[in-house]
Amino acid sequence: MLNRVIQQFGLQIVSINEVEDSFSSTVYKCTLSNSENVFLKIPFSKLKYQRELEAYEILKGRVSIPVMLDYWSGDVECAGAFLLSELKGKPLTSKATPTVAYQVGVLHAEMHFTRPPANKVLTGIKNEFTNWSNFVEHQFYSFAEDVKDILDEQLFEKSIEKFEKMKQQLPSPDGPSFVHMDFRPANIIVDNDTVSGIIDFESVRFGSTEIDFTKLYRDFLSVDVNLYNAYQEGYNSIKPLIDLENVLPFYRFTDAFNSIGWCKRRGIEKNALFLEENLARLKKWLL
């Protein structure tokens, strides 16, 4: 399939390496004969292909993202493929400065400032905002089918009870906004002290911003209060930030629970470390 995609785009490749931190799509970093670096992305499914395609069309000129150099709608064997420019830099880490955290806040708010287009019919990106509570509930109970096989019965029942109780305490949703759904350090590219942009749009929706802070908080903002404060300042410079303390407990809990289900679906052995991390997080919320 890779050779088919390379042929489709007519690329003259000197070297090619698969990107490791890509959990759904297959992504390759390619160096071309002119020494330029580009990325080949082959989505996991046709739906993910369509979401990514629409996201690039919607965000272009609004948010810093790679340039889509070409795309292919695929065939019976391939869901499609994208040829993307390189964002200079490396994925965000917790060693970043408050200056970078401020820029991450600006970038995140710019994305959330994006509303559903009035003049375009979307077939990949759904607007879940009007039924937001149902969307969150459907996600949780869908993963619950997988989680049930991993947790003991008592812990599983406690999880269900806690979800139902915490869900009732959520404020009115904030949106409709473009939400990334996987806004984590690996998808935020930083070049020294400058945020280059954001990548990976195969899970995006239009919905409530409240769901989109969880992974960033888990892997970055919770590490240092100075990063957290700088991020909030950057976000507020573009649009008012919701009261995160009011929604983070619920979404941190559901993220741990849903991640356990994700590990079951994608292979327990392959994702053993991530599974253990989320089991520990879940137990902290329940015990």
Side-chain angles (χ1 to χ4, degrees), residues 228-242:
Y228 193 18
N229 291 338
Y231 166 85
Q232 292 184 77
E233 188 181 341
Y235 192 102
N236 279 314
S237 72
I238 302 297
K239 72 183 292 289
L241 181 63
I242 62 172

Side-chain angles (χ1 to χ4, degrees), residues 143-168:
F143 280 115
E145 293 300 313
D146 302 282
V147 176
K148 187 185 293 185
D149 296 333
I150 295 177
L151 298 185
D152 65 61
E153 188 175 348
Q154 187 178 13
L155 209 57
F156 182 77
E157 291 302 326
K158 275 189 176 182
S159 298
I160 301 299
E161 290 171 13
K162 188 164 189 69
F163 172 80
E164 291 296 339
K165 183 178 179 181
M166 294 180 80
K167 187 182 70 172
Q168 302 303 322

Side-chain angles (χ1 to χ4, degrees), residues 67 90 154 171 184 201 218 256:
V67 176
K90 297 179 179 179
Q154 187 178 13
R184 58 190 176 95
F201 305 101
R218 181 190 71 194

Side-chain angles (χ1 to χ4, degrees), residues 101-102 104-110 112-113 115 171-172 174 177 183 208-214 216-217 221 227-248:
Y102 179 95
V104 172
V106 169
L107 178 71
H108 208 185
E110 287 173 341
H112 286 168
F113 206 68
R115 299 288 187 257
S172 298
D174 173 56
S177 295
F183 197 77
S208 175
T209 62
E210 64 193 51
I211 201 171
D212 225 22
F213 303 98
T214 315
L216 185 70
Y217 182 84
L221 299 177
L227 297 178
Y228 193 18
N229 291 338
Y231 166 85
Q232 292 184 77
E233 188 181 341
Y235 192 102
N236 279 314
S237 72
I238 302 297
K239 72 183 292 289
L241 181 63
I242 62 172
D243 182 2
L244 291 182
E245 306 305 321
N246 207 10
V247 299
L248 271 174

Side-chain angles (χ1 to χ4, degrees), residues 270-286:
K270 188 168 62 173
N271 298 287
L273 179 60
F274 190 53
L275 175 62
E276 288 303 315
E277 289 172 355
N278 283 289
L279 281 169
R281 290 188 185 109
L282 185 73
K283 288 173 181 176
K284 282 184 179 179
W285 287 104
L286 297 174

